[in-house]
Amino acid sequence: MKAQVGGYARAEDMAHAIRLLADAEGMGRVLAGGQSLVAALNMGLSFGDLLVDITGLSDLRGVREEDDRLVIGALMRHADVATDPLIARHVPLLAQAAPLIAHEAIRNRGTIGGSLAHADPAAEFPACAVALDAVIRLTGPDGEREVAATDFFRDVFETEMREGEILTGIVVPKTQAGERHVIREAARRAGDYAIAGLAVVIRGGAHRIAAFGTGPTPLLCTVAMERLDAGDVDGAVSALSDALDPPSDTQGSAAYRRHLAGVLLHRIATELGEDV
Amino acid sequence: MTDAFRNRIDLELTVNGEAVELTVPAGRHLIDLLRLDLGLTGSHAGCEHGVCGACTVLVDGAPVRGCLTLAPQLGGADVWTIEGLTDRGLVADLQAAFVARNALQCGYCTPGMLVAAKALIDAGGTPSRAEIREHMSGNYCRCTGYEAIVDAVETVARDRAEGAMS
Ligand SMILES: Cc1cc2nc3c(=O)[nH]c(=O)nc-3n(C[C@H](O)[C@H](O)[C@H](O)COP(=O)(O)OP(=O)(O)OC[C@H]3O[C@@H](n4cnc5c(N)ncnc54)[C@H](O)[C@@H]3O)c2cc1C
Ligand code: FES
Ligand code: FES
């Protein structure tokens, strides 16, 4: 099948992009790396879209420090996130996650903003954003706003983003002394979407665990976090199993996904020296 | 709707070192541009949703999925396909090793395999078989069973590393 698009426009700057989306009267569709969108267009899942290409908005590229936070531009490609020195130093979780995404050819074009906006339930970056307690920055016709990652992901492929808004970046707290970041996933083949995965952050002695591939959105597993804080790894694994309500599909059954999540949590705890 | 959105896009880019000017439909992906508009049929379209890797080509020096790269986004881009890489001898050792090891049968996956392998080999070093497998995991081959492909890539990586030392 071939993509049937209604039209294409390349945005010159943010104001232009917002205007194009408004003019498209509901048919507008932001185009970033195209690694999910062009696949959907080729498959005929969507047609008649008026594509607003934002890849020329240089403000959305790069990483900048804002006091004790790092602002990562939406157009940073997965390959850039994997190698950026500021990200490696201040948010190692994202640097660890990037190579787990798809394959080199896809990482060379797919963007972190696209990944967050697309909100695939098995995607790595949305789960990292939740584990890191990050904030998503949006710009729309009414100006800028910020949404906590924990509120941003609503359902499968659904977010808090409103019609006509553009995701401009993700704001993450820089790591503090002693902070630990780990992401682990189970996939049948390198680069495939995870069957189940966990992103874990230990900040100020407290754990944050976000599960992905195990439900409609990344899930912050609060009871399991409290158990781990208390040093009870087995309790954390059983709390995790209670908290997850995974789907059954061709990749694995709900029970298998729940089991995998527990195995991953055990491994992470061992790696962090907590499983004694 | 406004006329800011175009159905046909004027493009200028470089393909295999030659300047190209053409007009494409807004939904055109790079593989159709190469095959249908330019007659460069070495790059193949298999799945057209990013999964098989048969369409892997170089854009601005980096391997990408041709089927997921929308042509209108390629103004000013520098594209290399198997035709250009072959003419310049840039994958000659990989091609020789693929033949020597029987790393292809029908050949459908091969242009994409060579581009993906080129990126790994050009990065230098001698990747382990596991690293080669991981790197090539985005390229499907329905004929060879992969073992011969890994052999060929491993051979070239070793030969180049030895060549660099001597
Ligand atoms: C074979 C294959 C395997 C993959 N495996 C994985 C995987 O293991 N893990 C994973 O996380 N991903 C995976 N992906 C998806 C990949 O990471 C995509 O790059 C990503 O989901 C989308 O980023 P993009 O920049 O390509 O966005 P696009 O494809 O351009 O856009 C995707 C969606 O987001 C919207 N959008 C994009 N950017 C913005 C923005 N700044 N503001 C508002 N809306 C925006 C678009 O309108 C569209 O609806 C895979 C893709 C393929 C083809
Ligand atoms: S045709 Fe592009 S990945 Fe299959
Ligand atoms: S040689 Fe036939 S698909 Fe690889």
Side-chain angles (χ1 to χ4, degrees), chain A residues 33-207:
Chain A
Q35 301 303 290
S36 295
L37 181 52
V38 176
L41 295 173
N42 287 347
M43 287 194 276
L45 296 179
S46 179
F47 55 92
D49 298 76
L50 297 174
L51 303 179
V52 177
D53 182 355
I54 60 166
T55 54
L57 305 187
S58 49
D59 290 354
L60 303 194
R61 246 174 244 293
V63 179
R64 73 165 201 271
E65 301 186 64
E66 246 177 37
D67 305 320
D68 56 354
R69 308 191 303 174
L70 212 60
V71 185
I72 301 167
L75 289 178
M76 286 288 283
R77 292 169 169 166
H78 307 334
D80 304 328
V81 172
T83 52
D84 184 86
L86 281 174
I87 293 178
R89 185 146 124 241
H90 296 299
V91 202
L93 188 66
L94 293 176
Q96 284 180 42
L100 300 176
I101 303 174
H103 313 284
E104 185 190 19
I106 291 163
R107 294 195 292 269
N108 282 334
R109 285 193 85 78
T111 66
I112 190 167
S115 205
L116 296 166
H118 187 56
D120 190 297
E124 287 81 359
F125 285 153
C128 293
V130 168
L132 289 163
D133 207 8
V135 165
I136 311 287
R137 252 185 209 169
L138 306 166
T139 297
D142 304 324
E144 275 199 40
R145 65 187 184 110
E146 294 192 337
V147 181
T150 43
D151 298 328
F152 185 72
F153 302 101
R154 265 210 319 235
D155 206 339
V156 180
F157 305 133
E158 265 184 48
T159 70
E160 281 297 317
M161 247 187 328
R162 299 184 193 128
E163 182 75 48
E165 278 187 323
I166 292 173
L167 194 161
T168 59
I170 160 173
V171 189
V172 240
K174 290 183 187 169
T175 45
Q176 304 163 1
E179 191 164 322
R180 309 278 301 272
H181 292 181
V182 186
I183 179 166
R184 290 289 173 269
E185 66 179 43
R188 280 185 193 280
R189 189 178 57 134
D192 283 359
Y193 273 111
I195 308 173
L198 296 177
V200 176
V201 170
I202 310 179
R203 185 178 293 159
H207 295 76

